[in-house]
């Protein structure tokens, strides 16, 4: 049963040891964490989140034909990489049975801050209910929004707010929240009123900073994919000892 849930709207808002002993959900809806979930859904055995491009190249090189190199800088596929950061690229043909070595600007960086956590889950709307079910069994829950280049992004805040809204409905008054969790939940509840007026989640994501960046570089389809709720029924978890993300 969840007793405390906190949101960090940006990595820089979390102190060094903030996540010690807690269950953290890392979220970069557009697109790193959405793409990781799609890679695992397409049969990748694991996704290894890497901080920098050269280290990712070396790691993939060591894996030989078992490795696939994926990720972005400036939203675009990195030179020499097999795949970029579009969830649709992570198909069965591209990743089934492979280990994806993955580096992105903000998402995989945020994961590095969670090394002292008890558990680290990967947040995406595509496995929203599975994540909420898993969190309902954890005492101390944190949601870490990756943001974009040090700026808060609405798509991450909406996801965090949706999770807080769900936990609040399950645990009510007994659940302790920080102010950032309250802010995120307010943002989600506001947006939900728009959904009732037939403005779908994809439209909210399109209007966010992350959404506008993707539109600029021609990745509109990724926004639609990121807005699909509960496409999958599994939780992706970063194994902290092995340092890879697998389906739980
Ligand atoms: C990131 O990790 O910075 C993002 O996923 C960027 C992107 O959407 O390509």
């Amino acid at each position: 049963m969840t007793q405390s849930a906190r949101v960090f709207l940006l990595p820089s808002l979390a102190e060094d040891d903030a996540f010690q002993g807690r269950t953290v959900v890392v979220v970069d809806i557009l697109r790193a964490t959405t793409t990781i979930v799609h890679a695992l859904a397409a049969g990748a055995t694991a996704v290894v989140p890497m901080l920098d491009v050269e280290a990712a190249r070396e790691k993939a090189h060591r894996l030989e034909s078992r490795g696939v190199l994926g990720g972005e800088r400036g939203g675009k596929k990195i030179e020499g990489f097999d795949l970029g950061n579009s969830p649709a690229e992570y198909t069965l043909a591209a990743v089934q049975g492979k280990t994806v070595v993955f580096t992105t600007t903000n998402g995989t960086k945020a994961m590095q801050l969670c090394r002292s956590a008890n558990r680290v889950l990967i947040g995406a709307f595509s496995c929203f209910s599975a994540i909420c079910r898993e969190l309902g069994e954890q005492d101390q829950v944190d949601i870490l929004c990756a943001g974009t280049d040090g700026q808060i992004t609405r798509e991450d805040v909406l996801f965090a707010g949706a999770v807080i809204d769900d936990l609040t409905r399950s645990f009510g008054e007994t659940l302790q929240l920080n102010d950032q969790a309250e802010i995120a939940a307010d943002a989600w509840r506001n947006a939900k009123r728009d959904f009732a007026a037939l403005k779908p989640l994809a439209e909210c994501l399109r209007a966010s900073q992350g959404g506008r960046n993707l539109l600029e570089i021609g990745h509109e389809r990724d926004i639609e994919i990121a807005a699909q709720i509960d496409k999958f029924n599994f939780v992706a978890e970063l194994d902290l000892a092995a340092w890879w993300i697998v389906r739980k």
Side-chain angles (χ1 to χ4, degrees):
M1 165 169 174
T2 314
Q3 288 164 352
S4 142
R6 305 182 303 184
V7 169
F8 295 90
L9 297 174
L10 277 179
S12 59
L13 294 171
E15 325 77 70
D16 279 352
D17 58 351
F19 305 120
Q20 202 146 21
R22 300 178 66 97
T23 295
V24 188
V25 183
V26 179
V27 47
D28 183 355
I29 294 297
L30 296 174
R31 302 162 285 175
T33 52
T34 299
T35 299
I36 290 169
V37 165
H38 275 74
L40 294 173
T45 39
V47 177
V48 184
M50 303 290 291
L51 194 54
D52 63 72
V53 172
E54 276 324 304
R57 283 192 214 278
E58 278 163 30
K59 173 91 184 162
H61 184 71
R62 283 198 298 277
L63 286 167
E64 299 176 343
S65 62
R66 290 168 292 130
V68 170
L69 197 46
E72 59 69 38
R73 284 299 180 270
K76 300 193 181 131
K77 189 169 102 169
I78 300 160
E79 207 189 313
F81 273 40
D82 303 302
L83 302 170
N85 190 21
S86 289
E89 289 176 87
Y90 289 73
T91 58
L92 214 94
V95 300
Q96 192 182 31
K98 308 267 187 191
T99 297
V100 178
V101 182
F102 191 64
T103 181
T104 69
T105 314
N106 303 285
T108 56
K109 195 166 156 193
M111 289 168 204
Q112 311 290 330
L113 302 177
C114 303
R115 289 182 184 268
S116 66
N118 183 30
R119 294 182 64 191
V120 180
L121 308 181
I122 305 302
F125 281 110
S126 47
C127 49
F128 175 73
S129 295
I131 289 171
C132 291
R133 266 198 309 279
E134 191 70 30
L135 293 180
E137 290 165 17
Q138 313 298 312
D139 287 353
Q140 317 280 333
V141 167
D142 288 335
I143 303 167
L144 173 62
C145 299
T148 297
D149 301 330
Q151 301 296 316
I152 294 170
T153 43
R154 189 168 183 230
E155 65 275 11
D156 295 348
V157 178
L158 288 176
F159 177 83
V163 172
I164 296 297
D165 188 46
D166 186 275
L167 292 174
T168 306
R169 276 186 279 117
S170 303
F171 301 110
E173 300 284 287
T174 59
L175 184 65
Q176 287 176 6
L177 301 176
N178 69 349
D179 279 8
Q180 293 173 74
E182 302 276 11
I183 291 166
D186 285 346
W188 171 251
R189 288 174 193 134
N190 253 327
K192 228 168 51 173
R193 275 196 288 277
D194 284 347
F195 303 156
L198 294 178
K199 186 173 166 199
L201 177 58
E203 212 166 300
C204 289
L205 300 192
R206 223 175 276 129
S208 69
Q209 184 59 60
R212 292 199 304 274
N213 291 346
L214 287 176
L215 288 175
E216 243 170 61
I217 55 171
H219 284 296
E220 180 161 14
R221 176 83 188 113
D222 293 351
I223 304 174
E224 311 284 335
I225 294 173
Q228 290 168 346
I229 298 178
D230 287 344
K231 185 170 181 192
F232 308 122
N233 188 25
F234 68 85
V235 171
E237 177 159 2
L238 173 58
D239 178 327
L240 286 157
W243 198 258
W244 60 31
I245 300 162
V246 289
R247 279 171 77 143
K248 194 188 157 263

